[in-house]
Amino acid sequence: MTVDREVVPEHEQPPTAQTPADRVSTATVVAYAVAGIALLGWFLWGWLVLRQGFVNSIGEAAGTGFALLLIISVVGTVRRSRR
């Protein structure tokens, strides 16, 4: 049993309404770099200054990072829905 290739085209896809991904602005890259440095500072502050332990400091910095990612996701969703 064979499939007729003229009836079922292989590479034809329906057109989508999505636009290609926008370029990331320099301000966004700088903001992510500042957030990364702030998380590193938060980790070092908890570990070296507050002496709360290495694992606890990693967990606190990771939790803060995930909270920042959640905030960024919500803001991005709100901005995209306004377009």
Side-chain angles (χ1 to χ4, degrees):
M1 184 162 142
T2 63
V3 176
D4 188 7
R5 295 191 187 276
E6 292 176 2
V7 175
V8 183
E10 290 181 27
H11 300 292
E12 187 176 331
Q13 296 178 353
T16 60
Q18 296 178 355
T19 60
D22 296 331
R23 292 181 54 122
V24 178
S25 68
T26 304
T28 302
V29 173
V30 169
Y32 284 146
V34 167
I37 291 170
L39 286 175
L40 179 65
W42 187 253
F43 161 73
L44 291 174
W45 176 265
W47 184 37
L48 299 175
V49 176
L50 298 179
R51 298 184 183 272
Q52 63 184 6
F54 182 77
V55 175
N56 287 339
S57 295
I58 288 177
E60 189 171 330
T64 304
F66 286 130
L68 282 173
L69 287 174
L70 179 64
I71 291 168
I72 290 168
S73 175
V74 169
V75 168
T77 301
V78 169
R79 287 183 67 195
R80 187 172 299 235
S81 69
R82 289 186 180 183
R83 290 185 194 177

